[in-house]
Amino acid sequence: MDLSDVARPVTGLLDGAMDRTLVLGYTRIGSGLRRRWWPADPVPDALVGKRVLVSGATAGIGLEMARAFAGLGATVHLLGRNAEKVERCVAEIAEQIPGAALVGEVCDVSDLDAVVAWTTDFANRVPALDGLVHNAGLMPKERNVTPQGHELQLATHILGPHLMTERLLPLLRAARGASVVFVSSGGMYSTPLVVDDLESSRDYNGVRTYARTKRMQVVLADAWAHRLAGTDVKVESMHPGWVDTPGVAEYLPRFRVITRPLLREVADGADTVVWLVATRPESKPGHFWHDRAQRPTTFGWQRAENPARVRRFLHQVSDLTGTSTNWT
């Protein structure tokens, strides 16, 4: 008897149990255990000749993703709002990985006019794009709006990434095997899809809005996956677990103090995104991942998303970004 046939159900039960026990599944304990049975690493030089764009690439998980993609041989485009930070991060990775192909990109993902201008320029410079990672994120305590008047978290996590995906779709198709990944959060489990106040105009709460927009990312990624089914462009979402990042230190200082001994290193947080882009595994509806495995988008006591609510959400996103309403 093949012992792996015996071990597989046991590890599956343990993995599922950890996924429902946050302290085990989302912390360094979870990734440490799962490394013993999760799928193999990408082969060395898996991304040679490929081109990957990472937003929010100037700190934390985004910077680590860019470093990992470069280590696998990809030409990596580091996208950030601050030109000086972008330049510094490009130099940092270049020093760590001699010969790495790195390109700094400057664009505020929350500013839809800036996204239009930048994607136009990018498409004139780049023939194809093999990986697009929507990682830019924030959690301000006060409600802020963008130049177009949109609530900042909605614009950063949803509107900007959606518009960018729409406008870069010809480049993704040209790659003949591209992957798009939305970096969500396990916090999305704390809320259903909310569609009656996308702009958080009533009783704003930064943490609540963050969770809501992270739920929206999972729904949006799944919708994109359905829309592009039958093509060679894969769309996924994932959550990195609890990671010790500058964002956590800035937006959730108390949480960091309490959980710091259990928080993951940024390499753990970046791992599943890099693995998804480099290996392009098969994916089922939901298309939501954590620690190299697909995860449910709802807990057992939560209802599945209402199709009418999802359609309403998607059409609102299309209207707010002036993009196609051709959802399936």
Side-chain angles (χ1 to χ4, degrees):
M1 176 183 292
D2 187 345
L3 292 179
S4 64
D5 291 336
V6 177
R8 194 172 296 113
V10 175
T11 57
L13 287 172
L14 178 58
D15 184 68
M18 288 195 300
D19 199 38
R20 291 295 180 265
T21 308
L22 304 187
V23 173
L24 292 178
Y26 291 12
T27 64
R28 64 173 64 207
I29 297 172
S31 56
L33 286 173
R34 286 170 174 148
R35 285 182 186 279
R36 303 183 182 201
W37 63 72
W38 71 18
D41 293 342
V43 298
D45 298 329
L47 295 175
V48 169
K50 306 292 187 180
R51 191 180 300 271
V52 180
L53 169 69
V54 181
S55 71
T58 58
I61 296 173
L63 178 58
E64 184 60 32
M65 287 177 198
R67 183 182 294 110
F69 284 130
L72 290 173
T75 295
V76 185
H77 295 257
L78 288 78
L79 181 67
R81 293 179 298 171
N82 185 295
E84 291 183 2
K85 286 185 178 180
V86 170
E87 184 177 353
R88 183 168 66 247
C89 291
V90 167
E92 177 184 320
I93 297 176
E95 183 177 355
Q96 295 169 345
I97 306 176
L102 306 162
V103 184
E105 306 284 354
V106 180
C107 178
D108 183 346
V109 174
S110 72
D111 184 337
L112 301 188
D113 291 340
V115 171
V116 170
W118 175 80
T119 51
T120 298
D121 173 66
F122 186 76
N124 287 331
R125 293 185 278 116
V126 171
L129 184 62
D130 302 273
L132 172 58
V133 180
H134 295 302
N135 172 70
L138 38 67
M139 191 195 299
K141 293 181 180 180
E142 305 296 329
R143 186 178 186 274
N144 299 303
V145 297
T146 68
Q148 292 77 36
H150 300 302
E151 189 277 319
L152 186 57
Q153 291 200 64
L154 177 71
T156 303
H157 302 154
I158 300 299
L159 304 183
H162 172 72
L163 179 60
M164 188 179 296
T165 303
E166 183 86 41
R167 292 181 60 81
L168 295 182
L169 191 54
L171 301 185
L172 294 165
R173 291 183 183 277
R176 300 182 182 276
S179 292
V180 180
V181 184
F182 288 77
V183 180
S184 183
S185 165
M188 71 97 189
Y189 282 118
S190 68
T191 179
L193 178 65
V194 175
V195 299
D196 60 352
D197 185 22
L198 256 62
E199 300 279 4
S200 298
S201 58
R202 301 190 297 268
D203 190 26
Y204 178 84
N205 176 282
V207 175
R208 183 175 60 218
T209 296
Y210 183 83
R212 287 178 176 179
T213 54
K214 289 298 174 177
R215 165 65 71 178
M216 292 175 195
Q217 284 185 317
V218 174
V219 173
L220 182 61
D222 186 55
W224 265 108
H226 280 285
R227 177 176 167 182
L228 297 178
T231 75
D232 52 12
V233 180
K234 290 180 176 288
V235 185
E236 324 283 351
S237 61
M238 60 79 67
H239 81 85
W242 295 348
V243 184
D244 192 6
T245 66
V248 169
E250 178 181 358
Y251 300 123
L252 298 171
R254 291 183 181 178
F255 172 81
R256 183 172 183 262
V257 169
I258 295 170
T259 61
R260 191 171 184 183
L262 295 173
L263 294 181
R264 299 179 173 206
E265 301 293 330
V266 288
D268 265 357
D271 176 84
T272 294
V273 171
V274 176
W275 179 79
L276 283 170
V277 173
T279 67
R280 303 186 76 245
E282 290 300 315
S283 182
K284 296 180 293 185
H287 304 283
F288 184 54
W289 295 74
H290 172 58
D291 282 348
R292 301 192 187 186
Q294 274 202 260
R295 308 291 171 181
T297 58
T298 57
F299 283 150
W301 60 87
Q302 295 174 317
R303 294 182 178 181
E305 300 295 353
N306 180 283
R309 185 178 294 119
V310 171
R311 286 195 296 271
R312 182 181 171 194
F313 163 69
L314 295 174
H315 282 281
Q316 286 184 80
V317 170
S318 294
D319 288 343
L320 292 173
T321 55
T323 54
S324 171
T325 57
N326 185 27
W327 298 101
T328 56

